[in-house]
Amino acid sequence: MWIETGIVAIKALVVILMVLNLAGILGWVERKGSALIQDRIGANRASVFGIAAAGLVNTMMADPLKFLTKEDIIPARADRLLHTVAPCVGLFAVTVAFAAVPFGDVLQVGGRTINLQAVPLNIGILFVLAMVSLSVYGVVLGGWASNDRFSLLGGIRGSAQVISYEIAMGLSLVAVVMTYSTLDLQEMARAQGQLIGGWLPAWGILYQPLAFLIFFCAGIAETKRVPFDLPEGESELVSGYFTEYSGVKYLMFFMTDFVEIIAISGLVTTMFFGAWQVPYLQRDGFHFPGGASMLLPQIIVAVMQVLSFMIKVFFFCWLQIMIRWTLPRLRYDQLMRFGWKGLLPVSLLNVLATAVVALAVQG
Amino acid sequence: MSPVLFVILAAMLIVSALGVVLQRSPIRCALALVTTLFVLAVIFLFLDAQLVAALQVIVYAGAIMVLFLFVIMLLNLQQDVRAMAWLGARVVAVLMGSLFLLAAVRFFVYPLAPRLGPGMGGAPPEGFGSTEQLGQRLFTHYLFAFEITSVLLLVAIIGAVVLAKRKLA
C-alpha cells in the first residue's frame, strides 16, 4: 500500500521536475536561438567568474533570480485576489496535464512492473484536453483582473482565439482516437510499436498525417505565440494580458507558455511519433527486420525509451521555437479565417475519411 | 469514494454554488460557477464516471464558461449593474427555484434514497462509466434521444447563423 503510493508520488515528481526543468532550458533555447536567427550575440550579460556558458548563466541563474527578487506590483484598481490567482491557474492546469502522458513503457524493479505514466487514465487524451482548455482562464482572468484596457483586450482576444482553435484541435484528436480505438495515451504508445510490412515502425504520422498538421497548427495557436500571439501583441497591446504583471507572477505566465509548448510537443510525440518507442526496440532488446536481434537488460531498455521520448519532445519544442522566430504575426481576421474556414473544415473531412477507412478495414 | 472525501468535496461544491448567487461582481459569479462545475467533475471522477467528468470540464468549464466570461468582459458589466434588481423578478426567481428544488427532490433524491447510505449501493459493475460502455448505451439504447439532440443542436446552429446574417444586412 505505502510502496504503491510512494511509487505514484515518485512518478509524479519525476514528471513535474522533467517539465519544469525543460521549461527553464527552453528559456535559454529561445533567447539564444532568437539571437542566432537575428544575427545577434544575445543573452551574454551575466557571468560567474567570467564564465557565461553561452548564455546559460544569464537565462538559468540571473533571470530567475531577478524575477524572484523583483517587487510584485498590483495595480491600485485591480481585483487583488484574481490578479494573484490568474497566473497560478494557468500554470497549474498545463502542468497537471502531463499526469496522463506516458514517458516510458514499463520498468521492472524487484518483481514489480511499474507503468511509466504518472496516472493511468482510460480517458487520458480527454484529460489532457480538459486541462489545456482550462489554462485559458489564466489569460482571461489576468486580462480582466488587471483593470487595464490593454490587458482586457488581450484577455478577450485570448479567449476568442483559444476557443476557436480548440474545436479544430479536438476534431483532429477524434480522427486519432478512431485510428487507435482508445483514449489512453499509453495504449496509443504501445500500438505504435508494431511494424508495417515487417520493417516500417507504425507511427501515428503514417496513419494520420493531416491530423498531425491540424493538431500542430492548433497547438501553436493554443500556446498563444507568434504567429498567433494576438493576445500578447506587443506592438499593439504593450504586453497584452500580462501587461500589469511583474516579478514572480510574470515569470509564471512566462513558464505557462513554455510548459504549454512542452505539452503540445508531448502530445505530438505520443500520438504521431511513436511516444517512447525506439524503432525495433522491444521489451527484451532489439529485433531487427533481417532477423538479427540483440538482447538487452530491461533497465537499459527502459532508460533508452525514456530518453527517446525526451529527445523527441525536445525536438518539437525546438521546432516550435524556430517557427516562432521565423514567421510574422497574423492579422486578427486572418487568424479567425485560418481557424474557422481552414482548419475546421479540413479536420471535419479528416474525421469523415478516417471513419470511412476504418469501416472498410473492419469489413 | 470515502465519506471524508465526499464531505470535503460536497462542502466545496456548496460554498462555490452559493458564491454564484451571493457575489456582486458578475465576473466573480461566473468564476464561482466554473469552480462549481470543476468540483462536480472531481466528484464524477471519484464515482467511476471518468468520461462524464472529462466532458464536464471540457464542455462546460473549458468552453461554455469561457464564452460567458467573454460576453461579460465585452459588455463590461460593473458591480452595480443588477439586471434582476426589481422585486417581481426576485419573487419569480425564488418561486422557480423552489419548484426546481421540489422536482429534484421528488424525482431524483426520493426514488434513490433507499439505495443511499453506507456502502452507497455496492461496487459498480465491471467497466462501469467507461467510454466504451457509455458509447454502446448511447448508440443503441438511447439512439433516438441522441439523434433528436443532434437535430436540436443543428437547429440552434442554423438559428445562430440566420440571426448573425440579419444583423449584417
Side-chain angles (χ1 to χ4, degrees):
Chain A
M1 171 64 198
W2 285 111
I3 299 177
E4 300 294 320
T5 316
I7 289 173
V8 173
I10 290 171
K11 283 196 291 192
L13 197 68
V14 166
V15 172
I16 287 179
L17 286 180
M18 209 154 77
V19 169
L20 293 183
N21 280 313
L22 187 52
I25 295 169
L26 285 183
W28 173 74
V29 174
E30 164 125 318
R31 294 196 55 196
K32 207 65 194 171
S34 66
L36 283 172
I37 283 181
Q38 297 171 342
D39 205 11
R40 299 182 278 114
I41 299 170
N44 62 340
R45 289 290 138 187
S47 60
V48 178
F49 304 119
I51 302 166
L56 272 173
V57 171
N58 206 139
T59 53
M60 303 284 284
M61 291 167 68
D63 282 358
L65 274 179
K66 187 187 79 177
F67 280 124
L68 289 173
T69 51
K70 246 181 162 178
E71 185 190 356
D72 174 38
I73 300 165
I74 301 178
R77 294 185 56 202
D79 188 321
R80 295 186 69 86
L81 175 68
L82 294 184
H83 188 271
T84 308
V85 166
C88 308
V89 171
L91 189 57
F92 168 78
V94 284
T95 315
V96 164
F98 278 93
V101 179
F103 53 94
D105 186 11
V106 291
L107 184 65
Q108 283 162 345
V109 182
R112 274 173 198 282
T113 305
I114 302 168
N115 190 5
L116 293 181
Q117 180 186 25
V119 185
L121 281 171
N122 77 32
I123 48 157
I125 199 165
L126 291 180
F127 173 79
V128 179
L129 198 65
M131 288 303 135
V132 171
S133 75
L134 278 187
S135 72
V136 68
Y137 281 105
V139 179
V140 177
L141 291 184
W144 186 80
S146 304
N147 204 351
D148 169 280
R149 61 198 63 183
F150 293 127
S151 300
L152 185 65
L153 280 173
I156 290 177
R157 281 182 180 186
S159 52
Q161 174 177 329
V162 170
I163 288 267
S164 306
Y165 280 82
E166 217 155 67
I167 297 171
M169 190 187 227
L171 280 172
S172 72
L173 292 183
V174 169
V176 174
V177 169
M178 281 165 126
T179 313
Y180 294 118
S181 359
T182 178
L183 292 170
D184 187 346
L185 289 164
Q186 182 68 290
E187 277 179 40
M188 287 187 191
R190 292 200 174 121
Q192 293 178 77
Q194 290 157 356
L195 298 172
I196 305 172
W199 61 278
L200 191 62
W203 288 3
I205 179 90
L206 297 173
Y207 295 109
Q208 290 289 346
L210 205 56
F212 161 68
L213 285 178
I214 297 163
F215 182 83
F216 201 51
C217 287
I220 294 175
E222 293 272 313
T223 60
K224 302 173 289 294
R225 283 156 58 85
V226 184
F228 304 102
D229 75 329
L230 275 298
E232 194 180 325
E234 67 268 22
S235 54
E236 304 157 24
L237 299 180
V238 190
S239 210
Y241 58 94
F242 54 85
T243 304
E244 301 289 353
Y245 279 90
S246 65
V248 179
K249 292 185 200 163
Y250 178 85
L251 182 67
M252 285 173 84
F253 273 122
F254 214 74
M255 291 281 283
T256 310
D257 265 15
F258 282 126
V259 176
E260 260 175 348
I261 294 178
I262 305 169
I264 298 302
S265 306
L267 281 181
V268 163
T269 307
T270 308
M271 292 185 303
F272 302 107
F273 289 89
W276 36 259
Q277 300 276 2
V278 181
Y280 313 125
L281 183 66
Q282 286 168 12
R283 271 187 203 177
D284 54 349
F286 281 105
H287 293 275
F288 295 108
S293 56
M294 190 173 109
L295 298 182
L296 291 168
Q298 209 279 325
I299 181 88
I300 293 182
V301 171
V303 168
M304 280 172 75
Q305 284 170 336
V306 173
L307 271 180
S308 152
F309 178 72
M310 285 167 73
I311 290 169
K312 288 175 196 171
V313 167
F314 191 77
F315 170 77
F316 283 103
C317 292
W318 173 84
L319 187 66
Q320 286 183 66
I321 287 174
M322 289 302 114
I323 289 171
R324 185 245 180 276
W325 289 99
T326 308
L327 295 177
R329 180 184 307 143
L330 290 175
R331 226 172 40 225
Y332 196 73
D333 59 319
Q334 291 172 329
L335 173 92
M336 283 298 157
R337 200 180 317 130
F338 182 61
W340 288 101
K341 295 187 174 172
L343 290 183
L344 181 59
V346 174
S347 56
L348 276 172
L349 279 179
N350 191 35
V351 169
L352 197 67
T354 310
V356 169
V357 172
L359 257 184
V361 169
Q362 277 181 6
Chain B
M1 188 176 193
S2 80
V4 180
L5 207 57
F6 177 75
V7 167
I8 294 172
L9 286 171
M12 284 168 72
L13 190 67
I14 290 169
V15 167
S16 52
L18 283 176
V20 180
V21 285
L22 293 181
Q23 288 188 95
R24 299 183 74 90
S25 149
I27 286 266
R28 287 202 170 190
C29 292
L31 287 176
L33 188 51
V34 175
T35 319
T36 312
L37 295 169
F38 188 76
V39 177
L40 199 57
V42 176
I43 293 181
F44 282 145
L45 206 57
F46 279 108
L47 291 176
D48 292 307
Q50 296 195 343
L51 183 70
V52 180
L55 294 182
Q56 170 97 1
V57 174
I58 294 174
V59 176
Y60 285 101
I64 292 178
M65 286 315 294
V66 177
L67 287 178
F68 267 53
L69 282 179
F70 186 75
V71 171
I72 294 175
M73 277 161 57
L74 268 185
L75 297 177
N76 200 13
L77 291 179
Q78 295 303 318
Q79 299 201 354
D80 47 346
V81 176
R82 313 194 72 188
M84 294 264 287
W86 55 290
L87 192 69
R90 288 189 175 189
V91 171
V92 171
V94 168
L95 273 178
M96 297 301 279
S98 317
L99 210 63
F100 178 74
L101 192 67
L102 217 65
V105 169
R106 171 64 187 82
F107 291 107
F108 294 110
V109 182
Y110 183 67
L112 287 176
R115 288 201 269 146
L116 299 180
M120 300 276 187
E126 184 67 29
F128 173 82
S130 72
T131 318
E132 292 84 355
Q133 274 214 350
L134 207 126
Q136 295 256 338
R137 285 299 270 185
L138 207 57
F139 290 117
T140 53
H141 196 256
Y142 296 105
L143 184 65
F144 183 68
F146 179 78
E147 292 297 336
I148 288 289
T149 314
S150 354
V151 172
L152 208 62
L153 279 174
L154 189 66
V155 170
I157 292 172
I158 295 171
V161 172
V162 168
L163 285 176
K165 281 263 181 205
R166 195 169 56 188
K167 248 185 181 173
L168 274 175

